[in-house]
Amino acid sequence: MARRAALLLLLLLVGPLYLAAPAPALAASGTIVFTTLGRSRYAFDIFALPLTPLSSSSSSPAAEVRLTDGASVNYNGNFAPSSDSLLFVSERNGTLNLYAFPVPSASGSGARREALEVPEAAAALPSPLLPWDPIALKDRPSLTPDGAHLVYVSTAEPAEAPRRSWAAVYNTHLPSGATRRLTPRGVADFSPAVSPSGEWTAAASPGPDGWGGEVEDLNTDIYVFRTSDGSRRTLAIRDGGWPTWADETTLFFHRRDSDGWYGVYRAKISFAGGAGVSAASVERVTPPGFHAFTPAASPGAPGLVAVATRRPGSDYRHIEVIDVSGGGGANAYFEVTRPVAPRVHHFNPFISPDGERVAYHRCRGSGNGDSPLLLENIKSPAPDTFSLFRIDGSYPSFSHDGKRIAFVGLPGLFVVNADGSGGRRQILSGEAFPTAWDWKRKGVIYTSIGPTFASERTEVDVIAVSLGDDDDDSSISIKKLTTGSENNAFPSPSPDGKWVVFRSGRSGHKNLYIMDAEDGEAGGIHRLTEGPWSDTMCNWSPDGEWIAFSSDRHNPGGGSFAIYMIHPNGTGLRRVVHSADGGRTNHPWFSPDSKTLVFTSDYAAVSAEPISNPHHYQPYGEIFTVNIDGTGIRRLTHNSFEDGTPSWTPYYLEPEDVGETLQASGTCKFRDCHWLTVDAKPDGLMCGKHG
Ligand SMILES: *[C@@H]1O[C@H](CO)[C@@H](O)[C@H](O)[C@H]1NC(C)=O
Ligand SMILES: *[C@@H]1O[C@H](CO)[C@@H](O)[C@H](O)[C@H]1NC(C)=O
């Protein structure tokens, strides 16, 4: 109760200030639109079921209670330790933030109150210790038992080097808003958990070599430190993640073992006087043969650990509870979610303080009025310069009058009115990528048809699609611009409408070529770059002076890409931005004034443990801008999802969500982590690490 009063007080104190802030001066200087793999379809909410072995009543769908309100995406919940409040992460209002809800009573009669928005309030009262940036990922909230301190992850402060995670653990004193960073500078922390007394926090930290660059390559160790100030930080457990406290000296965590399976482990912690903390014993709780991860324990449920599992024979991630009180190999398992919703992924369980409920997040499913937004407004770090949107599609690009957006639907190519008024047409049904509108000829879109990520010799053709003047599909005409059977892709037209730059594998390497925009190769072609490497993803600047592209020429075939620029006449080659050794920086697109590039990169590494998220190939992909002289790198997006394929239009869209008249067909179509092998012995996962 005291805690909720504190939150309310805080809200009352800062609410008027927040509301009275003047509207930002909005200059009409452009819109950036990008895609986030699958995110528009997630529609996560937090649900709870009784934490008891199955009975006919507890396994019926009616026993499941939804704890969040069906707005935006709500995930990674946690209960306040001594009240009925639910803490959770939500992306409502264009930025990831932490919220609290009173939990409705199990009978379902409890009316939900307004969400109390914790961190925006905290951000309005910045800590005297930190320059606070409200646009950041905020994740994994925990409260101390007195309810006064919120401990969480934030990406508000840049890492000290490229390709290092910005995620760090912070402690905000809710009544005052005073915020303290608990993670040392130069270090990242994920998945913090506050001990039952509140004195200690455990977190998963990747060492300097803790991230290998692929999604599954994150290795963390578990550190324990004082919740109040981060002091006495001690390496407690090597090779572990997602810690959770069963009591003041018992931690559970997950680890991907050398046999390839994720398993849940128990560690007894000892506090050795002033020397810090050590793990006195570590034992594996779940056997090989299935994956068990993201454990949750609670002092209110002694002897029980909730976990998410992937078992052979099931395509879905489910919540199970392990009764570890038997000790030894005598652990008993009971299923929580499979009997209730067998064909849905369930993520990241947590247990109520009274031990009566286990909660988790999953798609809220159809029937809740879900309709993916066409354009979801994301808070822009420079709202007076550009607005920022996520689109439900890949490779978006605006027509040059700003009225229409073309995008790739994986598969298929679509156009839709940018203002949400409809006009959605499927232009192509097969595999096509990317999209780029001709500057002079209205309704002409360049794309390439064929498989993505294919070899130099795989046939991919650059085509021009002409939409015609009416909304009648019969008026669509297609012209093939490349004539060979090599891999020709990523067309981008010159602003004078005369040329198209594209990449081709015709020499045996992917290099850039320029051809006639109307007649294609038949009208003339010349080679722009040459060398035994890959130049790709080219974009012609609106002032015509530059072509930006992505290349691995600094380490051919090494998998690392940086952004380069070259004049269309082949002079002036230079590297603009490179993430770090081995890093990836892709999909450059010029700003309307040709002075800045927007791109996607692993520059900020991963922002959460990848196993805690659904399917993403590159969850380290965030959207950045950079001046074309390589200065002024700015991070635009902060989340643990895969953001990519940005484009930039001079047309300014007001920073508000844009819906669409169409109703979504299916919701929640996505896979679990694609790298999680389940049906065979998953030893391939560990190649190169243990052998
Ligand atoms: C989202 O922002 C709007 C406008 O700024 C505000 O009225 C609303 O209360 C916010 N919603 C939440 C849940 O914070
Ligand atoms: C190539 O193009 C650039 C940019 O337009 C120009 O500054 C330069 O003089 C050109 N060089 C040659 C050799 O034509």
Side-chain angles (χ1 to χ4, degrees):
M1 283 300 124
R3 192 201 56 75
R4 193 183 300 153
L7 284 175
L8 279 169
L9 179 65
L10 184 64
L11 197 74
L12 289 173
L13 283 174
V14 304
L17 283 175
Y18 183 61
L19 294 176
L26 300 175
S29 44
T31 299
I32 292 171
V33 58
F34 65 96
T35 189
T36 303
L37 183 71
R39 165 55 192 83
S40 306
R41 309 280 163 145
Y42 290 166
F44 288 145
D45 263 316
I46 294 170
F47 294 79
L49 275 164
L51 182 70
T52 50
L54 292 176
S55 65
S56 53
S57 62
S58 67
S59 65
S60 90
E64 195 186 47
V65 186
R66 190 174 74 177
L67 304 184
T68 49
D69 59 352
S72 184
V73 55
N74 305 307
Y75 67 98
N76 282 0
N78 200 356
F79 289 107
S82 51
S83 77
D84 57 356
S85 284
L86 171 74
L87 315 171
F88 62 102
V89 184
S90 182
E91 210 187 18
R92 63 194 66 203
N93 277 0
T95 179
L96 284 170
N97 245 323
L98 304 178
Y99 294 81
F101 258 132
V103 176
S105 64
S107 66
S109 62
R112 284 184 199 96
R113 301 180 205 183
E114 295 249 45
L116 302 176
E117 192 175 358
V118 178
E120 278 210 337
L125 294 174
S127 152
L129 301 173
L130 298 171
W132 200 243
D133 176 5
I135 297 179
L137 167 144
K138 311 235 175 72
D139 200 7
R140 301 300 315 278
S142 289
L143 272 176
T144 52
D146 62 1
H149 291 269
L150 183 71
V151 174
Y152 55 97
V153 167
S154 171
T155 55
E157 294 174 291
E160 309 205 329
R163 222 167 174 236
R164 293 282 173 80
S165 178
W166 297 22
V169 173
Y170 294 82
N171 175 336
T172 294
H173 179 241
L174 292 175
S176 69
T179 297
R180 186 190 268 266
R181 179 179 171 126
L182 304 182
T183 304
R185 301 270 160 192
V187 174
D189 278 332
F190 307 114
S191 317
V194 174
S195 74
S197 73
E199 190 176 354
W200 301 98
T201 293
S205 185
D209 303 316
W211 185 52
E214 299 296 339
V215 43
E216 63 273 33
D217 283 348
L218 182 74
N219 292 302
T220 56
D221 300 317
I222 294 174
Y223 285 77
V224 174
F225 45 84
R226 279 204 191 276
T227 302
S228 56
D229 60 4
S231 67
R232 291 182 67 189
R233 182 182 175 95
T234 313
L235 173 59
I237 300 154
R238 268 202 195 285
D239 191 11
W242 206 267
T244 177
W245 299 84
D247 57 50
E248 205 60 19
T249 57
T250 310
L251 277 174
F252 288 84
F253 62 96
H254 64 212
R255 169 187 289 172
R256 199 170 50 189
D257 215 322
S258 53
D259 57 29
W261 297 105
Y262 266 94
V264 167
Y265 288 73
R266 170 169 41 199
K268 291 301 281 184
I269 299 288
S270 79
F271 297 88
V277 189
S278 65
S281 72
V282 172
E283 66 175 314
R284 186 167 178 164
V285 172
T286 59
F290 66 99
H291 293 291
F293 38 69
T294 58
S298 166
L304 299 180
V305 185
V307 299
T309 62
R310 280 299 307 280
R311 288 187 181 264
S314 168
D315 290 334
Y316 295 92
R317 191 186 282 215
H318 280 294
I319 309 304
E320 298 182 36
V321 171
I322 313 171
D323 182 344
V324 294
S325 55
N331 298 328
Y333 293 76
F334 55 91
E335 295 186 294
V336 177
T337 55
R338 199 184 57 85
V340 174
R343 297 177 60 77
V344 181
H345 292 297
H346 299 75
F347 295 89
N348 305 355
F350 54 105
I351 295 175
S352 62
D354 61 8
E356 302 216 328
R357 283 188 277 193
V358 56
Y360 45 84
H361 62 266
R362 68 162 174 85
C363 277
R364 52 184 164 262
S366 52
N368 290 305
D370 280 322
S371 176
L373 293 165
L374 173 64
L375 295 171
E376 184 178 355
N377 180 234
I378 301 296
K379 280 212 168 103
S380 166
D384 50 341
T385 310
F386 56 83
S387 57
L388 183 62
F389 290 87
R390 170 188 291 143
I391 188 169
D392 183 28
S394 298
Y395 294 108
S397 69
F398 282 83
S399 61
H400 292 293
D401 60 8
K403 290 193 175 145
R404 283 190 284 184
I405 302 174
F407 65 91
V408 167
L410 299 176
L413 193 147
F414 296 80
V415 292
V416 66
N417 296 344
D419 63 3
S421 63
R424 182 181 280 252
R425 296 165 75 192
Q426 182 167 16
I427 303 306
L428 295 171
S429 58
E431 280 191 278
F433 67 99
T435 68
W437 297 75
D438 190 275
W439 289 83
K440 301 288 183 197
R441 290 181 294 146
K442 202 164 173 283
V444 172
I445 300 168
Y446 299 94
T447 188
S448 35
I449 48 174
T452 52
F453 301 111
S455 72
E456 285 78 2
R457 299 296 189 193
T458 305
E459 180 166 359
V460 180
D461 292 303
V462 173
I463 62 168
V465 183
S466 181
L467 300 183
D469 287 334
D470 353 285
D471 283 351
D472 166 11
D473 290 355
S474 66
S475 65
I476 294 173
S477 65
I478 291 176
K479 180 161 184 175
K480 197 171 144 191
L481 300 183
T482 47
T483 54
S485 56
E486 304 89 5
N487 192 331
N488 303 298
F490 289 103
S492 177
S494 62
D496 63 8
K498 292 189 174 138
W499 307 104
V500 170
V501 62
F502 67 106
R503 76 109 205 269
S504 176
R506 61 191 62 208
S507 71
H509 303 290
K510 291 174 180 170
N511 293 138
L512 303 185
Y513 295 77
I514 292 175
M515 67 180 165
D516 187 273
E518 282 198 58
D519 297 327
E521 281 186 46
I525 179 168
H526 71 270
R527 187 171 180 152
L528 179 63
T529 64
E530 179 164 11
W533 48 68
S534 284
D535 300 320
T536 186
M537 302 174 187
C538 33
N539 184 253
W540 207 311
S541 66
D543 66 6
E545 288 286 297
W546 291 103
I547 288 161
F549 61 102
S550 171
S551 177
D552 67 350
R553 51 178 62 216
H554 49 277
N555 180 16
S560 169
F561 281 80
I563 290 172
Y564 293 77
M565 296 199 323
I566 191 168
H567 287 307
N569 63 14
T571 66
L573 175 76
R574 67 174 197 238
R575 189 159 89 185
V576 185
V577 56
H578 179 46
S579 168
D581 278 353
R584 290 177 194 151
T585 302
N586 288 115
H587 296 291
W589 195 287
F590 281 97
S591 62
D593 67 3
S594 303
K595 295 196 167 102
T596 308
L597 287 164
V598 64
F599 61 96
T600 181
S601 178
D602 63 4
Y603 187 84
V606 291
S607 298
E609 288 191 56
I611 188 67
S612 67
N613 267 331
H615 168 64
H616 289 275
Y617 289 103
Q618 299 174 45
Y620 44 83
E622 299 285 342
I623 307 297
F624 296 82
T625 55
V626 65
N627 300 326
I628 60 169
D629 65 3
T631 63
I633 292 180
R634 173 188 248 168
R635 181 175 180 174
L636 305 190
T637 58
H638 291 255
N639 58 56
S640 58
F641 310 132
E642 174 178 345
D643 296 325
T645 63
S647 72
W648 202 330
T649 173
Y651 180 79
Y652 185 81
L653 284 184
E654 290 299 325
E656 293 161 5
D657 290 345
V658 178
E660 209 188 336
T661 47
L662 296 181
Q663 186 67 23
S665 45
T667 56
C668 209
K669 282 190 188 149
F670 64 90
R671 296 161 62 194
D672 200 355
C673 298
H674 66 280
W675 42 274
L676 200 62
T677 314
V678 172
D679 284 322
K681 188 173 176 293
D683 49 9
L685 279 177
M686 302 306 288
C687 281
K689 291 209 185 79
H690 288 252

